[in-house]
Amino acid sequence: MGEFSDIWNRLIDGQEQMTTYSIVLGRERHVFQDLKSVLACASPLKSGDVLAGIAASSNERRVAARYLLADMPLKTFLEDLVIPYEVDEVSRLIIDRHDWTAFASVSHMTVGEFRDWLLSYDATAERLLAIAPGLTPEMVAAVSKIMRNHDLITVAGKCKVVTAFRSTIGLPGRLSSRLQPNHPTDDPEGVAGSTLDGLLYGIGDAVIGINPATDNLEACTRLMVLFDRLRERFDIPTQSCVLTHVTTSIKAIEAGAPLDLVFQSIAGSEAANKGFGVDLAVLREGQQAALSMKRGTVGNNVMYLETGQGSALSADAHHGVDEQTVEARAYAVARELNPLLVNTVVGFIGPEYLFDAKQIIRAGLEDHFCGKLLGVPMGVDVCYTNHAEADQDDMDNLMVLLTVAGVSFLIAVPGADDVMLNYQSLSYHDIVGLRHQFNRPPAPEFEAWLHRMGMIDHTGRLAPASASGAFSRNLLSYGASA
Amino acid sequence: MTPFERDPFARFRNATRARIGLGRAGDALPTSAILDFQLAHARARDAVHGQVDFVALAKQLAPVPTVRIRSRAKDRTIYLARPDLGRQTNAADLPSSGDPYDIAFIIADGLSASAVEHHAVPLFKACMKRLGGFSVAPVILGEQARVAFGDEAAAAFGAEVAIVLIGERPGLSVPDSLGAYITFRPQSGRRDSERNCISNIHADGLSYEVAADKIVWIVREALRLQLTGVDLKENAEGAIEALPHQEA
């Protein structure tokens, strides 16, 4: 449909609407037929872009596209849309919400000048936050393509995006975590075992979030009740989330279930979102439903959103746009919903989208950078599947890089092994290690709770879990008689 | 030490295979937990990158005739990065036309060589015991093959129903799980929603006998109703699923 209307428009106008971009390097002239081709070719090598047939055909061509990109005014991305305004509601959202006042201070810059400015001392946390509404996903994706990994870390580390519900996420110098107690059949005792284990490691200040085995309303409600009772019993300043479809969450709210956060997977094109069974209207409806519950204590950010490079391609809804740029467009959708948490599930989707650890690590840093620069509270599921060229050492690398880059939160599962989704993430231990090594305590409300429970010793470190401690005993015996 | 202190998670161990209560070496995982994890990952990796010994497989299947057909993915690296090529047959390997058949079995390596080597032959034999009266094409041995590979391969034999037995994406707890995908009137371009799937066929999962019962039931229903997929649902309880999404 999108392609058809595009061709139709050109026929009607009787002229080529697209601009051709070209550059001469040495003896060779590199021609790119449109803006999205420049973006795709400038992207670091990704198997997904190769699969889509849009990756640069040579290393030189990749750098040629970057030279072109560097000289391109940021304004270009407001005039030449990678997915036409007429056919895509995400494009309309991006353009209609663009804030010219916020854009003013960088509006004269090229992408290359923008990179230099982002890295300059002039780009402080306050200035970065102020220009965020003036930036579009295509601008941040473009600048990321001419940045090295360390550039992405440096700039993301300066961004400050703070959100809150029962705990405050994203404060400088802190590292939050999602506790992910998945179970292949949602067995309550099995879920409880993984949850209590995580709490003993001080995990779960961003969210206690489970991927349910089924999307069934009753099963999801049972899990919501289980987490809510646990939270109330121990007075834990965090929020829980059952990661079910937004429409199921809306039904659960209508039925009076104790729901904290509405979850949804989102992507960067209208068609890809349709593939997830959502559009902007139903997402806003979900947000309004959750707000009506008034369950937040320190803030009103009620949405939890997940994204990941490759989802638009796998839904055949990428419009020929490279996987990183489409991913950045998902953050425009996220930004509209004032989420508490957004995370890219970076290595989950498989090697046909991100082939190996080099691609996964790069994508994780890109996603975190783009999200933060657009003002989104970005977390990352540092993860991989068994058929990707990656292992736990690679996850160690990425988790350290992201911590240095000031990631809002990371996801952790028992022993790094998700027994329901059959992939590997970080372990509870990894979060504890990062917090201690880099002096990144959890959200302040949660940190205070850990103190109250006697879990943190006099040095501010999480004490080794002692099963004989009163809190451990109490926690681990929870629900045993139920 | 009280028993509680030794393993306070004992209570949960029957309820979950999650790696809970592992203990700590400083902030890190203890040595035994690290090595256990690495062993599980190594087995999963070996399953993904292992090569099915199709010569041995053909011998095990004898006297049933077999045909080897490669996909357009030349090697494992291309196979993993380019699922589109793994779904297409290498035209040179296809037979010239002959008599049509009711059923074609495709044994495809998929993402787990060990799943195919452990479970494909006994499952095939269990199915054949139940399929008297049907004409069955030579067994197609699919190399570097994904599920949709079976559409082109079975169509080349004029089969009414394709049964793809394929190695599933390995998890850490089960590296050798086999899946069976049944497609009525297989042809290039069939959507995944037009197939039925029985998954988790392995030592701790679905047994060969139960899986074969389900497969043959679907085949008979497919031929009676002239369809597979979301519109063909098993009434009895069980693990038959219509496929909502693309195959992994």
Side-chain angles (χ1 to χ4, degrees):
Chain A
M1 166 109 181
E3 271 177 27
F4 175 77
S5 8
D6 199 38
I7 291 163
W8 189 240
N9 284 336
R10 280 151 60 188
L11 284 174
I12 294 171
D13 291 358
Q15 59 181 25
E16 188 65 52
Q17 284 190 327
M18 293 167 178
T19 317
T20 303
Y21 298 87
S22 71
I23 183 172
V24 176
L25 292 180
R27 287 183 190 167
E28 192 157 358
R29 184 176 192 84
H30 297 273
V31 182
F32 301 85
Q33 64 171 12
D34 53 23
L35 180 58
K36 66 187 177 187
S37 172
V38 178
L39 283 165
C41 288
S43 216
L45 181 65
K46 306 266 176 71
S47 51
D49 292 333
V50 176
L51 181 63
I54 56 176
S57 53
S58 72
N59 291 314
E60 178 171 318
R61 188 168 162 81
R62 174 165 296 114
V63 182
R66 289 180 187 167
Y67 273 108
L68 276 172
L69 213 48
D71 283 341
M72 209 173 275
L74 285 178
K75 275 181 183 158
T76 310
F77 300 95
L78 294 167
E79 290 150 9
D80 190 355
L81 301 184
V82 293
I83 303 175
Y85 185 91
E86 296 74 23
V87 303
D88 186 276
E89 68 169 1
V90 178
S91 291
R92 291 196 286 278
L93 178 78
I94 291 165
I95 294 302
D96 296 349
R97 285 280 192 260
H98 182 251
D99 183 336
W100 284 93
T101 313
F103 184 55
S105 65
V106 294
S107 62
H108 60 285
M109 293 182 188
T110 62
V111 174
E113 288 164 350
F114 186 47
R115 173 189 172 274
D116 293 344
W117 179 78
L118 287 171
L119 288 159
S120 75
Y121 303 151
D122 201 33
T124 59
E126 292 67 32
R127 289 202 177 117
L128 290 170
L129 195 62
I131 65 161
L135 300 178
T136 68
E138 290 82 358
M139 292 175 197
V140 300
V143 77
S144 78
K145 291 175 197 294
I146 58 164
M147 293 171 82
R148 281 175 33 196
N149 284 4
H150 193 231
D151 299 341
L152 300 174
I153 292 167
T154 303
V155 176
K158 294 196 282 186
C159 293
K160 193 168 84 178
V161 182
V162 181
T163 57
F165 189 76
R166 279 192 208 97
S167 58
T168 308
I169 314 296
L171 291 169
R174 293 183 182 266
L175 173 65
S176 291
S177 60
R178 166 180 163 193
L179 191 165
Q180 181 171 301
N182 291 350
H183 186 280
T185 62
D186 294 340
D187 178 88
E189 187 79 352
V191 171
S194 295
T195 307
L196 301 178
D197 190 23
L199 287 171
L200 286 175
Y201 287 94
I203 308 304
D205 55 319
V207 64
I208 300 173
I210 189 169
N211 298 85
T214 69
D215 205 38
N216 169 299
L217 177 61
E218 263 177 56
C220 290
T221 306
R222 262 199 301 279
L223 288 168
M224 287 173 204
V225 170
L226 182 132
F227 289 130
D228 205 50
R229 284 196 184 142
L230 175 71
R231 182 187 60 78
E232 287 196 323
R233 168 72 182 75
F234 295 102
D235 196 21
I236 312 171
T238 188
Q239 36 283 330
S240 68
C241 186
V242 177
L243 281 69
T244 184
H245 196 266
V246 59
T247 53
T248 309
S249 291
I250 292 171
K251 280 184 204 143
I253 291 169
E254 285 166 357
L259 181 148
D260 291 337
L261 304 179
V262 165
F263 170 82
Q264 186 54 47
S265 292
I266 57 167
S269 77
E270 181 179 338
N273 282 325
K274 214 168 263 174
F276 287 134
V278 299
D279 57 18
L280 292 173
V282 77
L283 291 169
R284 289 186 183 113
E285 192 188 331
Q287 185 196 4
Q288 290 309 314
L291 283 170
S292 75
M293 304 281 280
K294 296 188 175 16
R295 289 169 63 85
T297 53
V298 295
N300 271 325
N301 300 107
V302 294
M303 300 295 284
Y304 176 17
L305 306 167
E306 273 191 352
T307 68
Q309 291 191 24
S311 60
L313 176 58
S314 80
D316 198 19
H318 60 112
H319 298 267
V321 180
D322 69 271
E323 61 183 16
Q324 190 235 337
T325 303
V326 184
E327 166 74 9
R329 286 166 53 96
Y331 310 146
V333 175
R335 182 162 66 170
E336 179 70 4
L337 299 162
N338 296 317
L340 178 74
L341 311 162
V342 177
N343 71 262
T344 169
V345 197
V346 71
F348 182 73
I349 190 160
E352 60 267 46
Y353 304 102
L354 296 170
F355 189 73
D356 56 14
K358 183 173 174 66
Q359 295 186 11
I360 292 172
I361 289 169
R362 173 72 193 185
L365 296 176
E366 286 168 349
D367 295 349
H368 177 249
F369 163 86
C370 289
K372 281 279 172 69
L373 203 52
L374 289 168
V376 170
M378 281 305 287
V380 178
D381 190 354
V382 173
C383 65
Y384 63 105
T385 59
N386 284 314
H387 56 319
E389 291 293 319
D391 64 21
Q392 223 57 32
D393 289 332
D394 301 311
M395 300 302 104
D396 290 348
N397 293 347
L398 182 53
M399 74 179 190
V400 169
L401 298 178
L402 285 166
T403 301
V404 174
V407 69
S408 291
F409 71 104
L410 297 171
I411 291 179
V413 301
D417 171 18
D418 190 301
V419 292
M420 179 216 171
L421 296 173
N422 277 334
Y423 78 120
Q424 288 79 247
S425 178
L426 298 179
S427 73
Y428 298 149
H429 300 71
D430 293 328
I431 307 293
V432 176
L434 292 170
R435 281 181 177 159
H436 289 170
Q437 191 176 0
F438 296 97
N439 189 24
R440 303 280 167 110
E445 300 83 357
F446 198 85
E447 185 186 24
W449 176 75
L450 290 173
H451 273 295
R452 283 204 298 282
M453 296 297 125
M455 304 252 303
I456 292 182
D457 68 18
H458 65 281
T459 65
R461 293 162 74 96
L462 190 79
S466 163
S468 58
F471 176 67
S472 299
R473 270 177 179 279
N474 197 0
L475 192 68
L476 286 170
S477 59
Y478 173 74
S481 54
Chain B
M1 250 186 207
T2 63
F4 178 84
E5 178 100 11
R6 267 203 300 277
D7 187 3
F9 287 90
R11 182 188 134 204
F12 302 105
R13 298 213 188 271
N14 287 333
T16 185
R17 301 174 78 151
R19 292 165 201 257
I20 54 174
L22 297 178
R24 281 164 67 183
D27 297 334
L29 284 156
T31 303
S32 62
I34 288 280
L35 293 176
D36 290 349
F37 183 99
Q38 287 184 1
L39 177 61
H41 186 240
R43 284 179 174 154
R45 295 290 291 152
D46 288 346
V48 168
H49 286 276
Q51 283 202 320
V52 175
D53 185 345
F54 282 111
V55 174
L57 207 64
K59 275 188 196 149
Q60 288 174 55
L61 286 166
V64 174
T66 54
V67 184
R68 278 174 77 166
I69 300 180
R70 292 164 294 167
S71 79
R72 288 189 55 215
K74 285 192 185 65
D75 58 40
R76 209 56 177 164
T77 302
I78 294 173
Y79 175 82
L80 290 172
R82 293 290 303 272
D84 53 330
L85 298 179
R87 295 188 186 110
Q88 300 167 36
T89 52
N90 179 31
D93 295 350
L94 294 179
S96 47
S97 61
D99 295 332
Y101 296 91
D102 295 323
I103 295 163
F105 278 91
I106 299 96
I107 297 180
D109 43 12
L111 284 166
S112 171
S114 55
V116 173
E117 298 200 323
H118 295 162
H119 309 305
V121 172
L123 178 61
F124 169 77
K125 288 182 173 165
C127 290
M128 285 303 285
K129 263 197 284 181
R130 293 160 171 80
L131 283 172
F134 290 106
S135 61
V136 178
V139 175
I140 297 159
L141 304 177
E143 293 184 44
Q144 310 293 7
R146 301 216 175 227
V147 172
F149 169 94
D151 293 336
E152 279 184 23
F157 284 88
E160 278 286 274
V161 177
I163 304 173
V164 178
L165 307 181
I166 189 166
E168 291 177 350
R169 171 173 146 174
L172 280 202
S173 50
V174 185
D176 65 339
S177 179
L178 195 76
Y181 293 77
I182 300 120
T183 311
F184 177 72
R185 216 157 277 171
Q187 59 191 48
S188 180
R190 280 264 180 256
R191 295 188 303 274
D192 287 328
S193 58
E194 294 176 291
R195 313 181 197 288
N196 290 83
C197 168
I198 295 162
S199 59
N200 278 304
I201 303 164
H202 56 85
D204 295 322
L206 215 55
S207 71
Y208 304 137
E209 300 301 313
V210 174
D213 282 343
K214 289 174 183 294
I215 291 169
V216 172
W217 183 88
I218 292 174
V219 170
R220 289 185 193 281
E221 285 297 288
L223 288 168
R224 185 172 72 83
L225 300 168
Q226 303 277 292
L227 59 83
T228 44
V230 288
D231 294 326
L232 195 166
K233 283 188 182 127
E234 192 190 35
N235 297 321
E237 283 181 31
I240 293 183
E241 302 162 27
L243 294 174
H245 305 300
Q246 285 185 305
E247 131 245 5

